[in-house]
């Protein structure tokens, strides 16, 4: 019989892709998942647990006239029915969002989007809770909704946020970056200026596990335990302390196994607060688990940027400047989870991978009667939108100049010797060799051959397109002085304890949602301290048992927490060195480290292993003067800069001229994420992101009708790629380490989601060249491609 | 009402509401939480189990309809002889990330292999096309099922498993560009 321990986990040790230490190691978390023994939120059942269900608004904008809960309260299995008015009495009707706005936990005055939380029921089982929702009678006075962001600021638009003191319009914020005058000067002298309206439609991360929690308040010791779908358990705990008034040490947030996150599980949703309130009121554990349609209509959406791009260049294709005007739709409450000083996230990197003379962006954000959110879906804080803008507009320029899009990019890349490179919007790119990566992708694709094939097919009237995109990401937020969420600096703690027998436990502030932290963090520590990964337990997702830190989103785990893990291991190793010097009776300077042991310089036989040292550190023998027993350390890592992973993507599509159906035939992705920890996991992260990108380019969109009804409220309407819509991915890599990260690693989790949508759209537009088309907006469904072929590409609504 | 069925070879009898979905019966009453619940419209396939050797979406079957039938869930894949090669394949080929879609994917894969022990890529893609994975991008799931097809007896414990060369896409990058990572201490 196969047992967990019988299978050597690092049998791929000598893989040719060998990056750090244990390379393509199989995942430590898999044995439980493949047996169906993962523990997700909805798997938790506590004695006496009650079930919570939320009544949601059927309309987008309305005044609440009355809420009658009598019939629901009379239901035999119902324990409580709570409305906004009840919460208002406790001062809990509103909560802060992660971007310093407020959001209704339950609506009191008005509902502001379809699906907004109006009341909740707690009952003995989940079906009874749903039944009782039907018994609540709400009288709405319907108001005109504001759905299209383009009209949100018009004089006759209804004011959505009249809860805010003195608010007379739907303006959310203004933001700008770059130098307006300098950019104008460059545009004025340029040979060529190309303008293009580009929409990045609203999409949804839709992890396969929806959001939910189990709240358990123990009255006797006043302690609240919350099992919750959270990518950021520590940040959530602090917010709950601030909202509920419970002391922070009496709140324990546990994020159990998460069935995907993609940013959807960063915000704090009203349902979590409702479950906490219910448990406080009833003194019983309370479970709230949303269904799929609740997830799609009410939780953090992504994108929804209406952009005007402009690019200036010389006639031989030297790009001089880019500027853009953006209208950002933030929904009914600004629920964006970006660092506070970055209301537009990291959109400022819209200058892309190119060496420009000037750049400028002006953005206006508005409120609309749509679900709140803004940053979610593997976007690296709006870099998705930025990369889409620049990679589309560069292709528009290539179209106008009749230049090959790969050649145009190669001509304009930031050159290797320019790093660290400060962009015209102030971002300091850490390292890169873009042309090498671009050329590798072209070689893998057989680029010239593809162009030849395309020419032949065009001559025969067939529609084949080749899309090129190159992206640079900026991931791993902070440093803390620049970046915080609600005042919490973006840094991450890490603690490492080596037990007497030389096994270890490492505790992280970040939380996996499928990225494989239990494996990769063991690998990082193993590399630094020489204990095999199988002997290192990774603990995460439990605020009582891990050091404080801001969590996993924006691809920040490896850049920030991964650095913390490497450095805490080095700190332990430094102490081990001192203990070893005592054991070997030589000075510290005479010791040499080879992975896993110290030996006396010039005498490899005179050595002690890390396991020997661990036993000595905890044992009865003498330790060097001033050295305490134990072998453990804790640090808090404050990154000095973001890391800048990048990649070159090439997509090949065929379009059926009769049905306008797009087939993604090939997709070549070459990524550079610096030092690679586990190539197998990196490849998986890239594959997943590419699938997201194909989804957004071809089918995913959260649309609304004029009344504000969400048209993407189920997986029948919100389309996600299946195995039949995506090709067998072709991946490659280059390695350009980050100079400031302790092991040279950069983030990888979102690279492909960021980089792939422009590659797919560029391929489709390229295929449609015979129709004289320069741009068409996502999602490029057959009907929208057909419209484009008829000469009227339509922006999505 | 009373319902009796066989689940993973054991007979279970329970009192249920007539409207109870099989997925909720398995998860909440029998505590077999390996079967998941991911949508309201029968689209995601995280809930796939077998009813009499046929993969079904357990969110679309009433527990009462399973009465008198044999149900098999992910918890029934591992036997006394060890892991099912499909389970082993998913680990070997990184066929899972968050693991939420995985039980359903594996149940479908096992059913496919029982009918067709040597399915090609397109057949595998078609077999799982009623199910969604948001993490993996499917290629590694296809490789995992191929691994199971080529290893009908799973991993031989006495023979360390070599890299499954026929499944791995050779990475041109390794030859084309020397790694410039330098030494990491
Ligand atoms: S739960 Fe989605 S198909 Fe059954
Ligand atoms: S592994 Fe996460 S949904 Fe498939």
């Amino acid at each position: 019989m196969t047992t967990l321990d019988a299978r050597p986990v690092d049998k791929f040790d000598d893989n040719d892709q060998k990056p750090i230490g244990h390379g393509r190691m199989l995942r430590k978390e898999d044995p439980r998942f493949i047996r169906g023994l993962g523990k997700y939120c909805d798997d938790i059942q506590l004695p006496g647990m009650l079930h919570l269900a939320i009544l949601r608004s059927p309309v987008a904008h309305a005044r609440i006239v009355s809420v009658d809960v009598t019939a629901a309260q009379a239901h035999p299995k119902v324990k409580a029915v709570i409305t906004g008015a009840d919460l208002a009495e406790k001062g809990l009707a509103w909560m802060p969002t992660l971007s310093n706005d407020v959001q209704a936990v339950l609506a009191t005055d008005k509902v502001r989007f379809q699906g907004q939380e109006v009341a909740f029921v707690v009952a003995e089982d989940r079906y009874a809770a749903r039944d009782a929702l039907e018994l609540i009678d709400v009288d709405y006075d319907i108001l005109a909704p504001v759905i299209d962001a383009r009209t949100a600021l018009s004089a006759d638009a209804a004011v959505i946020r009249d809860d805010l003191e003195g608010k007379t319009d739907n303006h959310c914020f203004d933001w700008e970056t770059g130098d307006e005058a300098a950019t104008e000067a460059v545009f004025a002298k340029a040979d060529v200026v190309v303008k293009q309206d580009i929409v990045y439609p609203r999409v949804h991360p839709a992890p396969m596990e929806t959001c939910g929690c189990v709240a358990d308040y123990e009255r006797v010791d006043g302690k609240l335990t919350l099992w919750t779908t959270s990518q950021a358990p520590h940040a959530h705990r602090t917010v709950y302390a601030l909202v509920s008034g419970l002391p922070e040490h009496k709140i324990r947030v546990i994020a159990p196994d998460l069935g995907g996150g993609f940013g959807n599980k960063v915000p704090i949703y009203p349902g979590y607060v409702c479950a906490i309130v219910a448990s406080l009121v009833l003194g019983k554990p309370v479970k709230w688990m949303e269904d799929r349609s609740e997830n799609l209509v009410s939780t953090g959406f992504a994108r929804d940027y209406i952009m005007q791009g402009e690019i200036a260049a010389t006639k031989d294709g030297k790009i001089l400047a880019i500027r853009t005007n953006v209208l950002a739709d933030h929904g009914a409450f600004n629920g964006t989870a970006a660092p506070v000083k970055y209301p537009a996230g990291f959109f400022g990197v819209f200058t892309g991978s190119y060496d420009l003379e000037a750049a400028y962006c002006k953005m206006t954000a508005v409120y609309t009667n749509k679900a709140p959110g803004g940053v979610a879906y593997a976007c690296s804080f709006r870099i998705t939108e930025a990369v889409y803008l620049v990679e589309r507009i560069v292709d528009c320029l290539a179209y106008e100049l009749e230049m090959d899009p790969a050649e145009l990019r190669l001509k304009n890349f930031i050159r290797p010797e320019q790093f660290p490179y400060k962009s015209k919007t102030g971002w300091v790119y850490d390292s890169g060799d873009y042309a090498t990566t671009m050329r590798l992708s072209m070689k893998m694709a057989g680029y010239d051959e593809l162009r030849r094939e395309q020419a032949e097919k065009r001559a025969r009237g067939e529609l084949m397109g080749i899309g090129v995109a190159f992206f640079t990401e900026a991931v791993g937020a902070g440093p803390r002085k620049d970046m915080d969420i609600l005042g919490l600096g973006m840094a991450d703690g890490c603690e490492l304890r080596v037990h007497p027998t030389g096994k270890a436990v490492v505790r992280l502030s970040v939380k996996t949602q499928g990225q494989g932290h239990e494996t990769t963090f063991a690998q990082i520590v193993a590399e630094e301290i020489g204990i095999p990964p199988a002997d290192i337990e990774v603990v995460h997702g439990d605020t009582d048992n891990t050091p404080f830190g801001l969590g996993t989103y924006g691809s920040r785990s490896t850049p920030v927490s991964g650095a913390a893990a490497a450095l805490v291991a080095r700190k332990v190793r430094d102490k081990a060195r001192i203990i070893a010097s005592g054991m070997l009776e030589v000075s510290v300077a005479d010791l040499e480290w080879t992975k896993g042991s110290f030996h006396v310089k010039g005498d490899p036989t005179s050595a002690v292993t890390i396991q020997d040292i661990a036993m000595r550190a905890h044992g009865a023998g003498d330790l060097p003067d001033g050295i305490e027993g134990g072998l453990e350390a804790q640090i808090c890592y404050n990154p000095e800069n973001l890391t800048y992973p990048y990649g070159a993507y090439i997509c090949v599509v065929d379009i059926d001229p009769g049905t306008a159906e797009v087939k993604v035939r090939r997709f070549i992705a070459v990524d550079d994420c610096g030092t690679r920890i586990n190539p197998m996991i990196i490849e998986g992260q890239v594959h997943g992101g590419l699938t997201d990108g194909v989804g957004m380019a071809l089918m995913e969109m959260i649309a609304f009708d004029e009344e504000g009804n969400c048209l993407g409220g189920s997986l029948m309407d919100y389309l996600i790629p299946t195995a039949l819509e995506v090709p067998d991915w072709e991946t490659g890599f280059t390695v350009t380490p980050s100079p400031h990260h302790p092991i040279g690693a950069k983030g990888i989790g979102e690279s492909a989601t960021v980089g792939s949508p422009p590659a797919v759209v560029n391929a489709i537009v390229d295929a449609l060249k015979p129709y004289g088309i320069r741009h068409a907006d996502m999602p490029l469904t057959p009907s929208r491609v057909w419209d484009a072929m008829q000469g009227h590409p339509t922006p999505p609504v | 009402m009373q319902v009796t069925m066989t689940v993973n070879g054991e007979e279970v009898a329970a009192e249920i509401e007539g409207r109870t979905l099989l997925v909720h019966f398995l998860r909440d009453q029998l505590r077999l939480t390996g079967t998941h619940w991911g949508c309201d419209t029968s689209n995601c396939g995280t809930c796939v189990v077998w009813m009499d050797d046929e993969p079904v979406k357990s969110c679309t079957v009433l527990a009462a309809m399973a009465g008198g039938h044999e149900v098999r869930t992910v918890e029934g894949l591992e036997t006394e002889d060890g892991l099912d090669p499909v389970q082993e394949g998913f680990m070997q080929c990184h066929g899972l990330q968050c693991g939420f879609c995985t039980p359903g994917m594996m149940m479908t894969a096992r059913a496919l292999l029982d009918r067709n022990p040597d399915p090609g890529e397109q057949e595998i893609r078609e077999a799982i096309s009623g199910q969604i994975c948001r993490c993996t991008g499917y290629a590694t799931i296809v490789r995992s099922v191929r691994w199971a097809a080529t290893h009908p007896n799973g991993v031989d414990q006495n023979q360390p498993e070599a890299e499954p060369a026929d499944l791995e896409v050779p990475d041109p990058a390794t030859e084309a560009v020397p790694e410039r990572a330098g030494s990491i201490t």
Side-chain angles (χ1 to χ4, degrees):
Chain A
M1 175 174 163
T2 308
T3 65
L4 284 186
D5 296 323
R7 192 172 48 83
V9 273
D10 45 0
K11 68 178 73 153
F12 290 106
D13 215 345
D14 296 324
N15 191 280
D16 59 352
Q17 296 185 16
K18 185 165 179 158
I20 75 167
H22 297 263
R24 188 199 190 278
M25 187 183 119
L26 297 192
R27 299 204 319 168
K28 292 170 65 133
E29 42 269 89
D30 286 354
R32 68 175 185 272
F33 290 133
I34 52 111
R35 289 173 170 83
L37 298 177
K39 241 277 171 286
Y40 303 91
C41 220
D42 197 26
D43 300 345
I44 292 163
Q45 282 200 39
L46 301 177
M49 188 175 79
L50 301 171
H51 294 261
L52 186 149
I54 293 174
L55 181 73
R56 294 174 183 278
S57 170
V59 293
H61 200 192
R63 206 158 284 291
I64 296 179
V65 180
S66 63
V67 185
D68 182 356
V69 300
T70 6
Q73 269 165 341
H75 188 289
K77 287 186 170 176
V78 166
K79 300 292 177 195
V81 184
I82 306 273
T83 65
D86 299 327
L87 288 188
E89 274 174 31
K90 300 179 198 303
L92 290 172
W94 294 83
M95 63 176 188
T97 68
L98 295 183
S99 36
N100 282 329
D101 194 354
V102 289
Q103 173 173 359
V105 176
L106 294 178
T108 48
D109 51 341
K110 286 203 307 191
V111 288
R112 292 175 169 85
F113 66 93
Q114 187 188 50
Q116 188 179 340
E117 299 78 1
V118 173
F120 69 78
V121 165
V122 185
E124 284 168 22
D125 65 67
R126 63 171 101 215
Y127 288 10
R130 293 288 171 132
D131 288 345
L133 293 184
E134 309 274 322
L135 303 173
I136 300 175
D137 195 11
V138 186
D139 190 5
Y140 294 104
D141 181 8
I142 309 282
L143 302 169
V146 180
I147 303 306
D148 186 348
R150 297 171 187 87
T151 63
L153 293 179
S154 64
D156 58 347
V159 179
I160 299 166
R161 294 303 302 280
D162 48 359
D163 58 295
L164 299 173
E165 188 80 21
K167 193 83 185 142
T168 56
D169 60 19
N170 294 316
H171 181 257
C172 184
F173 66 81
D174 284 327
W175 176 80
E176 64 174 350
T177 186
D179 187 329
E180 186 175 16
T183 307
E184 175 52 34
V186 175
F187 268 84
K189 65 160 202 214
D191 304 337
V192 189
V193 170
V194 180
K195 272 191 193 194
Q196 184 64 56
D197 286 349
I198 296 171
V199 177
Y200 209 134
R202 177 176 279 235
V203 293
H204 196 280
M208 292 325 294
E209 179 204 31
T210 59
C211 300
C213 67
V214 177
D216 185 16
Y217 181 67
E218 292 275 358
R219 280 185 177 156
V220 176
D221 55 10
K223 179 131 186 174
L224 170 74
T225 305
L226 184 74
W227 289 265
T228 179
T229 49
S230 171
Q231 298 176 220
H234 288 280
H236 281 195
R237 182 190 62 194
T238 305
V239 175
Y240 291 130
L242 297 172
V243 173
S244 69
L246 285 174
E248 200 169 1
H249 68 296
K250 291 289 188 187
I251 303 175
R252 178 181 182 189
V253 175
I254 300 174
D257 286 327
L258 299 184
F262 318 110
N264 192 226
K265 292 166 181 171
V266 177
I268 290 185
Y269 295 120
Y272 304 147
V273 179
C274 293
I276 293 171
V277 170
S279 187
L280 287 173
V281 169
L282 297 166
K284 287 266 168 62
V286 174
K287 178 187 279 183
W288 167 67
M289 214 55 225
E290 66 186 7
D291 64 25
R292 175 57 59 193
S293 122
E294 295 181 280
N295 177 254
L296 287 168
V297 302
S298 75
T299 64
F301 73 93
R303 330 287 191 249
D304 223 342
Y305 269 21
I306 299 169
M307 305 179 276
Q308 278 174 335
E310 266 186 289
I311 189 164
T314 63
K315 57 181 178 307
D316 59 350
K318 173 82 191 85
I319 303 172
L320 303 173
I322 297 177
R323 76 180 154 198
T324 176
N325 221 308
V326 181
L327 179 62
D329 184 339
H330 278 246
F333 306 101
N334 187 6
T336 294
V340 171
K341 289 176 205 145
Y342 297 79
F346 299 167
F347 188 78
V349 300
F350 69 91
T351 55
S353 315
Y354 310 107
D355 185 21
L356 307 181
E357 287 178 17
Y360 177 68
C361 167
K362 177 165 172 39
M363 179 179 297
T364 302
V366 296
Y367 290 117
T368 59
N369 287 113
K370 302 186 204 166
V375 167
Y377 201 0
C379 69
S380 305
F381 300 126
R382 302 283 192 188
I383 293 176
T384 335
E385 289 91 322
V387 163
Y388 184 64
L389 174 86
V390 57
E391 289 306 290
R392 222 30 306 285
I393 195 90
V394 165
D395 253 40
C396 291
L397 177 66
Y399 179 96
E400 293 300 339
L401 294 175
E402 294 183 20
M403 264 181 91
D404 179 89
E407 191 193 322
L408 177 61
R409 286 174 171 85
L410 282 164
K411 191 174 178 133
N412 286 284
F413 282 144
I414 301 163
R415 294 183 311 280
E417 66 275 15
Q418 289 177 288
F419 291 92
Y421 175 86
K422 185 159 188 187
S423 79
K424 288 291 177 285
T425 47
W427 299 77
V428 182
Y429 292 28
D430 60 350
S431 62
D433 179 356
Y434 296 165
T436 301
T437 307
M438 184 75 229
R439 289 212 175 86
L440 174 58
S441 73
M442 293 166 74
K443 184 171 168 209
M444 282 172 62
Y447 190 74
D448 296 339
E449 185 47 44
L450 284 171
R451 287 286 175 205
R452 267 194 295 279
E453 181 192 345
Q454 181 184 39
E456 282 170 29
K457 289 201 161 148
R458 268 194 189 148
R460 291 201 300 265
E462 291 173 37
L463 301 178
M464 168 186 169
I466 304 157
V468 176
F470 196 98
F471 67 91
T472 301
E473 277 232 87
V475 300
R480 64 196 306 161
K481 72 171 165 29
D482 296 332
M483 295 177 195
D484 69 274
I485 287 188
L486 288 180
L488 301 172
M490 300 187 81
D492 280 87
C494 190
E495 185 202 286
L496 175 63
R497 289 187 202 164
V498 184
H499 303 314
T501 57
K503 316 285 180 192
V505 55
V506 59
R507 298 170 190 277
L508 315 175
S509 57
V510 291
K511 170 68 201 171
T512 184
Q513 309 122 46
Q515 298 93 331
H517 290 16
E518 290 167 34
T519 309
T520 47
F521 280 80
Q523 290 183 262
I524 293 171
V525 172
E527 175 72 12
E528 296 294 336
I529 202 166
I531 296 173
D535 290 351
I536 300 170
E537 183 74 6
V538 176
V539 176
H540 62 151
D542 177 351
T543 56
D544 269 8
N545 285 306
T546 56
F548 186 85
L550 271 260
T552 296
Y553 42 88
S555 296
R556 61 190 300 286
S557 289
T558 297
V560 188
S561 201
L567 291 180
V568 80
R570 286 178 197 175
K571 200 167 167 183
V572 166
R573 196 173 70 201
D574 288 345
K575 179 171 180 181
R577 178 188 289 268
I578 299 172
I579 297 172
S581 78
M583 292 167 77
L584 295 170
E585 297 177 344
V586 292
S587 81
V588 166
D590 289 332
L591 288 176
E592 212 157 282
W593 171 256
T594 40
K595 207 193 281 183
S597 68
F598 284 105
H599 64 261
V600 178
K601 274 184 191 159
D603 180 10
T605 58
S606 190
V608 283
T609 65
I610 188 78
Q611 289 80 6
D612 300 332
I613 299 168
M615 188 54 88
R616 172 63 72 102
H618 295 90
D622 278 348
L623 293 173
D625 279 351
I627 292 297
E628 291 174 3
L631 193 56
E632 53 197 57
Q634 177 163 358
I635 67 156
C636 182
Y637 178 75
N638 180 25
E640 75 177 64
N641 187 9
L642 300 161
T643 65
Y644 290 75
Y646 56 89
Y649 289 178
I650 296 175
C651 176
V652 183
V653 301
D654 298 303
I655 301 178
D656 183 331
T659 63
E661 199 175 337
V662 177
K663 169 105 190 130
V664 178
R665 189 207 310 172
R666 287 181 68 196
F667 202 110
I668 297 92
V670 180
D671 276 275
D672 192 319
C673 61
T675 302
R676 293 152 62 79
I677 297 162
N678 184 325
M680 177 186 85
I681 286 178
I682 292 171
E683 187 195 34
Q685 293 295 296
V686 172
H687 284 191
L690 296 175
T691 307
D692 288 349
V694 169
M696 289 181 284
L698 299 188
M699 61 191 90
E700 293 184 29
M701 177 171 173
I702 297 284
F704 293 84
D705 70 10
E706 283 165 14
E707 263 103 62
N709 294 305
C710 178
L711 303 178
S714 81
L715 293 182
M716 231 178 318
D717 306 296
Y718 186 71
L719 303 180
I720 292 174
T722 72
L724 291 176
E725 281 93 31
V726 292
D728 192 9
W729 311 107
E730 300 167 57
T731 58
F733 64 95
T734 57
V735 177
T736 310
S738 168
H740 62 83
H741 187 281
I743 62 168
K746 303 179 178 185
I748 186 66
E750 298 162 314
S751 287
T753 317
V754 167
S756 56
V760 180
V761 175
N762 288 351
I764 294 169
V765 173
D766 183 50
L768 298 179
K769 206 169 190 177
Y771 295 85
I773 288 174
R774 199 180 73 183
H775 176 74
D777 282 314
M778 301 185 284
L780 287 163
T781 58
S783 85
R784 296 172 49 74
V785 172
W786 183 260
D787 285 349
M789 287 161 65
Q790 310 313 308
H792 5 266
T794 43
V797 277
Chain B
M1 62 184 286
Q2 179 81 13
V3 68
T4 309
M5 66 182 84
T6 310
V7 178
N8 298 330
E10 276 178 43
E11 186 166 294
V12 295
E15 189 59 32
I16 56 164
E17 275 188 66
R19 61 177 171 170
T20 306
L21 298 174
L22 180 58
V23 64
H24 288 141
F25 177 68
L26 293 169
R27 290 180 47 78
D28 296 349
Q29 260 171 282
L30 302 187
R31 306 252 175 135
L32 293 170
T33 54
T35 301
H36 297 142
W37 176 56
C39 74
D40 328 313
T41 47
S42 209
N43 287 95
C44 76
T46 60
C47 60
V48 168
V49 301
W50 286 12
M51 221 163 92
D52 301 334
D53 299 339
E54 202 55 62
V56 296
K57 288 178 169 170
S58 63
C59 68
T60 318
V61 176
L62 292 170
M65 291 158 68
H69 293 276
E70 278 187 39
V71 173
R72 190 178 178 203
T73 70
V74 64
E75 287 89 348
L77 272 184
E78 187 178 18
T79 65
E80 278 169 12
D81 299 331
L83 290 174
D84 189 293
V86 167
Q87 294 174 298
E88 190 69 45
F90 271 71
M91 287 199 288
Q92 295 289 342
C93 301
H94 195 28
L96 68 151
Q97 290 181 27
C98 77
F100 204 76
C101 71
T102 315
M105 291 286 181
M106 293 192 305
M107 294 312 287
T108 302
R110 174 40 53 211
L112 170 68
L113 291 170
D114 284 354
R115 284 163 184 70
N116 175 2
D118 191 24
E121 172 178 349
Q122 195 56 25
E123 286 167 298
I124 297 169
R125 286 184 182 268
E126 271 160 28
I128 60 170
S129 66
Q131 291 164 251
I132 298 171
C133 174
R134 201 62 162 150
C135 302
T136 64
Y138 304 106
T140 56
I141 295 181
V142 173
R143 289 181 206 165
S144 302
V145 181
R146 283 299 306 155
W147 190 98
T150 51
H151 298 73
N153 302 316
V155 174
D156 182 345
Q157 290 302 304
N158 304 317
Q159 292 257 306
E161 181 67 18
E163 180 87 6
D166 52 329
L167 296 172
E168 290 290 314
V169 180
D171 200 336
T174 15
E175 297 120 62
V177 175
E179 288 211 5
R180 285 172 291 113
S183 68
I184 297 138
T185 47

